[in-house]
Amino acid sequence: MNLCHCGSGVDYAKCCQPVHHNHAHATTPEQLMRARYCAHVLKLVDFIVATYHPSCHAEQDRADIESSTHSNWQKLEVLSTAPGKSDNEGFVHFKAHFVDHDQPYCLEERSRFLREEGLWFYIDGEFPSQPAQAKVGRNDPCPCGSGKKYKKCCG
């Protein structure tokens, strides 16, 4: 069994691979989001570009998108999903952990997806503001739950 990189706990062949072969297999924003993360791990640049909403003109940013696949993607955490203002809009709040140039990072985003002609597309996202909380020390466990020290993860 080859577990999917999206963290679903399901075999890749039954999880993100069908979506990678046919974008229409993503029937929810979360499925598309997981497949896009997995595509970063597998360096499937064509899939990532194709699943941006057409208004994003992602083809113009292909070099930057390809560059983003060169990071060492570690883990995806889907924190929540939410419907939008209509059945054709949805949101996925996630954290993606990766290492770039030996430096660990944690990307947190609330992504917005739109469905057009039966296909979900990523259109944009926002970076949630951090709630006021006690300051996390550099050597404290990272609040993201990775098990690493804050300074080696999201710090």
Side-chain angles (χ1 to χ4, degrees), residues 59-94:
E59 191 60 48
Q60 295 173 359
D61 297 319
R62 179 177 278 278
D64 290 335
I65 293 167
E66 182 174 359
S67 178
S68 73
T69 68
H70 297 302
S71 295
N72 182 1
W73 295 92
Q74 302 287 305
K75 178 174 100 173
L76 174 67
E77 296 175 80
V78 174
L79 304 175
S80 66
T81 61
K85 295 177 185 173
S86 74
D87 290 343
N88 294 318
E89 181 182 50
F91 296 89
V92 180
H93 184 180
F94 70 92

Side-chain angles (χ1 to χ4, degrees), residues 15-48:
C15 190
C16 289
Q17 186 177 39
V19 178
H20 290 155
H21 289 303
N22 183 349
H23 178 179
H25 286 290
T27 59
T28 67
E30 181 179 354
Q31 282 180 309
L32 182 59
M33 197 259 125
R34 286 182 177 279
R36 286 173 54 85
Y37 172 85
C38 189
H40 276 81
V41 174
L42 298 173
K43 299 176 177 27
L44 303 176
V45 177
D46 290 339
F47 177 83
I48 299 166

Side-chain angles (χ1 to χ4, degrees), residues 79-154:
L79 304 175
S80 66
T81 61
K85 295 177 185 173
S86 74
D87 290 343
N88 294 318
E89 181 182 50
F91 296 89
V92 180
H93 184 180
F94 70 92
K95 288 184 180 181
H97 302 269
F98 64 99
V99 176
D100 191 35
H101 296 97
D102 296 324
Q103 180 69 38
Y105 294 95
C106 178
L107 168 68
E108 181 177 355
E109 183 177 295
R110 184 173 184 259
S111 297
R112 184 167 66 113
F113 295 85
L114 296 178
R115 182 171 46 196
E116 289 189 1
E117 297 181 22
L119 296 175
W120 284 102
F121 295 94
Y122 170 83
I123 188 159
D124 57 22
E126 60 185 34
F127 303 108
S129 60
Q130 298 298 318
Q133 58 185 14
K135 183 170 173 66
V136 178
R138 290 176 34 83
N139 290 314
D140 291 342
C142 189
C144 79
S146 68
K148 297 179 183 177
K149 289 184 180 182
Y150 179 66
K151 68 183 177 185
K152 295 285 188 178
C153 192
C154 297

